[in-house]
Amino acid sequence: MATDRTRRAAVLVLRTAAAGLTATMGAIHLSLWADGYRDLATVGGLFLLNGVLGCLLAVALLLTPYRWLGPVAAATALFTAGTLGALFLSLTTGLFGFEESADADLVRPTIAVETAGVLVLTTLAVAALSHRHHHPRDRGELHGRAPTRRR
């Protein structure tokens, strides 16, 4: 079983990596939007939205109090998975009339960043949510008190 200090260090590393990957995803979308995707109907606006939300979520991952970190990480993991899914749709069947090429700039790096992001964010969410339910403060075990039941 990990010590509390080890767990905190692991969560800090996961939180930092998750924020970095989420910010990178946002930066990639903003860069592509600025490089011409902004002129694409529907998809252009979605690239801008994804870039802005990615950057905001990265900041949220860094600033969110620990008790809310699990839900924020889970929501960000779902957002990132949705972004990755949209990329795969655009590579296969097309998305909103737009078909992406696997040889296009930043497609492969984007797949790597978003896949790593989903994995790290999911791990962070599970770690934060499971720790949240086992924290001594939540069970009334601080200072030698007996656990209390919550209903």
Side-chain angles (χ1 to χ4, degrees):
M1 186 178 231
T3 65
D4 192 46
R5 174 180 257 168
T6 304
R7 179 181 282 278
R8 281 192 308 236
V11 168
L12 179 61
V13 168
L14 287 169
R15 182 190 283 236
T16 304
L21 289 163
T22 304
T24 301
M25 178 187 70
I28 288 170
H29 281 82
L30 289 174
S31 173
L32 290 170
W33 178 81
D35 286 344
Y37 280 57
R38 68 174 162 244
D39 297 327
L40 300 171
T42 308
V43 174
L46 293 175
F47 267 74
L48 178 60
L49 182 63
N50 187 291
V52 170
L53 287 176
C55 293
L56 290 173
L57 286 168
V59 171
L61 285 166
L62 293 173
L63 299 180
T64 296
Y66 187 82
R67 70 175 170 259
W68 298 110
L69 182 58
V72 170
T76 306
L78 290 172
F79 177 75
T80 305
T83 301
L84 184 59
L87 175 57
F88 280 121
L89 278 176
S90 73
L91 288 167
T92 55
T93 62
L95 183 64
F96 301 115
F98 175 72
E99 292 183 24
E100 185 65 88
S101 166
D103 296 324
D105 285 347
L106 299 177
V107 167
R108 287 182 177 87
T110 300
I111 291 171
V113 166
E114 291 175 1
T115 300
V118 170
L119 294 172
V120 170
L121 285 158
T122 301
T123 303
L124 176 60
V126 168
L129 289 169
S130 67
H131 186 248
R132 188 169 119 177
H133 295 296
H134 295 93
H135 197 281
R137 205 174 349 179
D138 293 339
R139 297 188 317 231
E141 294 176 10
L142 289 178
H143 309 295
R145 292 185 302 189
T148 57
R149 277 195 169 203
R150 291 190 179 189
R151 295 183 183 204

